[in-house]
Amino acid sequence: DIVMTQTPLSLSVTPGQPASISCKSSQSLLHSDGRTYLYWYLQKPGQSPQLLIYEVSSRFSGVPDRFSGSGSGTDFTLKISRVEAEDFGVYYCMQGIHLPYTFGQGTKLEIK
Amino acid sequence: EVQLVESGGGLVQPGGSLRVSCAASEFTFSNYWMSWVRQTPGKGLEWVANINEDGSEKYYVDSVKGRFTISRDNAKNSLYLQMNSLRVEDTAVYYCVRQTAFDIWGQGTVVTVSS
């Protein structure tokens, strides 16, 4: 199984400041079709996970442009340019190339 | 609004069975692969199973193979997960998810396996 490793596991940020989360996969997520199947989700307390970024860097419908994704192969990063109150929760990366699909452990973004 | 609504969770004894369901609305259900994902405090998010558009392909995580069965009824816009020989470690919130980028998630249904 592909192991997804997120760092850090927790992050304390002052609103208005940037934040960055790393996700590393144990195998390349680049498919033979040329696409890289790496996704980012945010789970707010008491809610289901919600898609933020798909295929490394494409923002899902309605996701603010302060969120950006980058990376390739096995190393990926989610960046928030200026954290807002609504951004706090747990962030997960997920690989969708090899079964079983696997998630990172989650990174808890907290208010400083 | 595009929506997935799970139901059928509950308390069951080890070794017992339970079927959870998911009702889809406001999208063409039969055009999408669908997945079940579960979440526990200890193991986080875990993909459980998926099924293709017409139900002819199904895949499972190793820990549930032979015990769980995913199915769908496109006429009813519904997805199912039949869980047999349940174990304490199957206790989780079970989410129904549209598999295109896992873009749409239900609210989840709680399954508790305990004596």
Side-chain angles (χ1 to χ4, degrees), chain B residues 4-89:
Chain B
L4 296 168
V5 179
E6 300 94 337
S7 61
L11 174 64
V12 61
Q13 292 189 334
S17 298
L18 199 64
R19 187 177 87 153
V20 292
S21 302
C22 170
S25 57
E26 300 303 324
F27 69 96
T28 306
F29 179 71
S30 59
N31 286 354
Y32 292 87
W33 280 74
M34 297 294 296
S35 276
W36 287 99
V37 174
R38 65 186 178 184
Q39 184 170 32
T40 62
K43 289 191 69 178
L45 290 165
E46 181 181 39
W47 173 83
V48 173
N50 66 358
I51 187 168
N52 73 337
E53 295 91 338
D54 65 6
S56 61
E57 293 183 53
K58 306 174 185 182
Y59 301 94
Y60 302 89
V61 69
D62 283 351
S63 60
V64 309
K65 280 180 184 173
R67 301 188 300 122
F68 289 13
T69 301
I70 189 171
S71 62
R72 66 192 298 161
D73 184 336
N74 287 341
K76 294 183 178 179
N77 292 329
S78 292
L79 179 72
Y80 307 101
L81 186 67
Q82 176 68 44
M83 302 181 286
N84 298 332
S85 303
L86 280 160
R87 305 168 180 169
V88 170
E89 55 265 34

Side-chain angles (χ1 to χ4, degrees), chain A residues 6-26:
Chain A
Q6 289 182 229
T7 54
L9 297 184
S10 65
L11 196 52
S12 184
V13 178
T14 301
Q17 295 301 302
S20 179
I21 300 169
S22 171
C23 175
K24 296 184 188 297
S25 59
S26 60

Side-chain angles (χ1 to χ4, degrees), chain A residues 29-107:
Chain A
L29 303 185
L30 175 62
H31 194 276
S32 56
D33 63 8
R35 296 156 76 172
T36 300
Y37 293 90
L38 184 282
Y39 307 91
W40 289 98
Y41 302 88
L42 165 61
Q43 186 173 31
K44 299 180 183 180
Q47 296 185 18
S48 308
Q50 57 189 81
L51 176 64
L52 297 174
I53 302 285
Y54 63 95
E55 294 178 25
V56 180
S57 58
S58 297
R59 274 188 301 278
F60 187 52
S61 175
V63 174
D65 60 7
R66 63 180 180 274
F67 289 93
S68 64
S70 63
S72 63
T74 61
D75 287 358
F76 305 94
T77 302
L78 175 70
K79 292 183 179 178
I80 311 172
S81 58
R82 294 174 306 280
V83 172
E84 297 191 4
E86 65 188 27
D87 301 337
F88 293 96
V90 181
Y91 289 80
Y92 296 93
C93 60
M94 189 202 84
Q95 64 84 13
I97 187 172
H98 295 297
L99 291 173
Y101 303 136
T102 48
F103 293 84
Q105 320 95 300
T107 295

